[in-house]
Amino acid sequence: MRRTRCTRVGLAALLMLGSVVAAGTVPASADDTPSAAAPASDGLLSAMQRDLRLSKQEAEARLAAERRATAVESKARRAAGASFGGSWFDASSGTLRVGVTPNASAAAVRQIRAMGVTVTTVAHGARELAATQARIDKLSAPAGVSSWHVDPEAGTVVVSIVSGKQRDNDVRQFVARARRAGPVTVQRVPAAPTTLAAGTVGGDPYYTGNVRCSIGFSVYGGFVTAGHCGRAGAGVRGWDGSYIGTFQGSSFPDNDYAWVNVGSGWWTVPVVLGWGTIPDRLVRGSAEAPVGTSVCRSGSTTHWHCGTVLAKNETVNYSQGAVHQMTKTSVCAEPGDSGGSYISGDQAQGVTSGGWGNCSSGGETWFQPVNEILNRYGLTLHTA
């Protein structure tokens, strides 16, 4: 009986305890206002101390500052209007920084500063940089090109090249074409990105075919996860091998998102597993955290790890094809973590897509933002 089995701590994320919910009856929505924060658990603070190398007091102060930054980011964006040049969290000062172009009005700058935000003049606006990235997205990228994203602080689109591939003729031609698209800088990264699905092994996953992945977030009627884990119509089994439901929608590459309906005695709850490292986290919304803020990930292979948001709207060049509008983080992950939850405080951020490295030596990972998935499929996040 599913209710008895669901009391087990190691159950795949978000299919643990709670009441049965009806599928597909609530319109899509996304909360953009962070809730009043409960005190951070000792486990969360310990994870941040381990992964971000902070003291307990520094971790507590950072979480409080990040909540403030998340709360005002959208307001500052609206105040800047067409002069908006991007935003990022400055961990050294604990404040949100917003870039504005030189033509920003004095009134807009005063309004933004009144929010407790630091204003910085940037050479290129967010719209210009987004247009540059869109032009690069139309190019065919060789395997030696890892990804590209807008860096608002630097005021360029950053193209990442796999180390040792910078002299490859196809890579050099791609970079030359990218530079003609607009302001571009190039950086090297240690390895090419890969998705993080895995063959069937033990743990608390969900399975489709011989692939193991991780559940992202509960929605009314099911859960969201990574698109590369299964195609529409594919059946899904839970940690105990019993049938959960099927992939109702899936997109990969171009995107990396999917959703699975829940039935057959399974149900959903607004919870992300802490895996014993921290208490399980309640999900209260999906307010998007700024670049520079801390974020933590839950997955069925490496469980709970934390890092920071490094970039947004990055195009990732997997071997299967490019995936767009991804968020890059310094959080580690390994095969089997695909589809798992990224959460900042109690706000859902996205589902694990892929990365490079591992949780022994470190690395970087990307997630597909959860609000994009909700909007695409008309889903409503299940919140506490």
Side-chain angles (χ1 to χ4, degrees), residues 38-171:
S41 69
D42 289 339
L44 174 59
L45 295 172
S46 295
M48 292 182 68
Q49 291 174 68
R50 177 196 66 199
D51 295 334
L52 298 177
R53 295 181 177 147
L54 302 173
S55 68
K56 181 178 180 180
Q57 293 74 22
E58 289 170 336
E60 290 173 328
R62 177 159 181 162
L63 286 171
E66 290 174 352
R67 285 193 294 270
R68 293 192 295 270
T70 299
V72 302
E73 197 275 342
S74 60
K75 299 174 185 176
R77 180 190 297 264
R78 289 193 293 268
S83 67
F84 181 69
S87 64
W88 59 96
F89 179 75
D90 183 354
S92 62
S93 64
T95 59
L96 181 72
R97 300 182 71 91
V98 169
V100 298
T101 54
N103 62 348
S105 70
V109 171
R110 285 195 300 270
Q111 185 179 355
I112 297 169
R113 284 177 174 157
M115 301 174 191
V117 173
T118 301
V119 179
T120 301
T121 301
V122 294
H124 304 285
R127 292 179 182 175
E128 179 187 354
L129 293 175
T132 298
Q133 182 176 12
R135 287 189 284 269
I136 298 174
D137 283 344
K138 294 178 181 179
L139 303 178
S140 178
V145 177
S146 171
S147 62
W148 52 96
H149 72 274
V150 169
D151 183 342
E153 186 173 9
T156 66
V157 174
V158 179
V159 176
S160 298
I161 306 299
V162 178
S163 292
K165 299 292 186 180
Q166 59 268 29
R167 294 184 180 179
D168 179 88
N169 188 54
D170 290 340
V171 171

Side-chain angles (χ1 to χ4, degrees), residues 202-218:
D204 293 311
Y206 76 86
Y207 301 90
T208 178
N210 65 345
V211 171
R212 172 169 63 86
C213 282
S214 301
I215 293 167
F217 293 97
S218 285

Side-chain angles (χ1 to χ4, degrees), residues 308-327:
T308 57
V309 177
L310 299 178
K312 294 185 180 183
N313 296 321
E314 183 151 20
T315 301
V316 181
N317 189 36
Y318 292 127
S319 61
Q320 300 94 329
V323 176
H324 305 94
Q325 296 180 313
M326 302 273 270
T327 298

